[in-house]
Every structure is written in structure tokens, then in C-alpha cells.
């Protein structure tokens, strides 16, 4: 599934970026985080959750039985 999803995501990325206006060279004011900032934070939180879950399961199996 990952072998299919990753190339599709990479192919769709330029199409999603084409809707943005060209850069004018002037910095604008930001009143809130961009959607990409929120997506990165969600991916990071999901990655941390997944790795911690896997490590807990791994060490639960490897724990010595008393």
C-alpha cells in the first residue's frame, strides 16, 4: 500500500502547489499558522506515537519473566 501511496502523493504535490500566487518578494503578516505547518505537526505527532507504540510492544515481549 505504501508503495502506491507515496508515488501518488509525490505526483500530486506539484498540482497542489500550482494554485498559489507567485512570490512578490515582500513578506506578509501571518495571523495564524499555515495549513502545511499544522500538517507537519500532525505528522510528527503521529510518527512519535507510532514509534513509541512499537517500542513498547517490542520491550513488552523482551521483558524477562519472573
Amino acid at each position: 500500500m505504501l508503495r502506491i501511496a507515496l508515488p501518488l502523493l509525490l505526483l500530486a504535490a506539484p498540482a497542489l502547489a500550482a494554485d498559489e500566487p507567485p512570490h512578490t518578494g515582500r513578506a506578509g503578516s501571518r495571523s495564524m499558522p499555515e495549513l502545511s505547518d499544522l500538517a507537519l505537526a500532525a505528522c510528527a505527532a503521529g510518527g512519535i506515537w507510532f514509534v513509541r507504540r512499537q517500542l513498547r510492544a517490542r520491550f513488552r515481549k523482551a521483558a524477562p519473566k519472573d
Side-chain angles (χ1 to χ4, degrees), residues 9 35-51:
L9 181 64
L35 185 59
S36 62
D37 298 335
L38 299 175
L40 282 173
C43 286
I48 291 170
W49 171 81
F50 178 75
V51 169

Side-chain angles (χ1 to χ4, degrees), residues 15-61:
L16 295 174
D19 292 339
E20 297 202 17
H23 186 56
T24 61
R26 292 185 2 211
S29 63
R30 292 180 58 174
S31 59
M32 60 180 285
E34 294 287 331
L35 185 59
S36 62
D37 298 335
L38 299 175
L40 282 173
C43 286
I48 291 170
W49 171 81
F50 178 75
V51 169
R52 288 181 56 133
R53 184 179 68 129
Q54 294 299 103
L55 286 173
R56 281 191 195 116
R58 178 180 175 187
F59 289 121
R60 200 175 306 127
K61 270 194 273 185

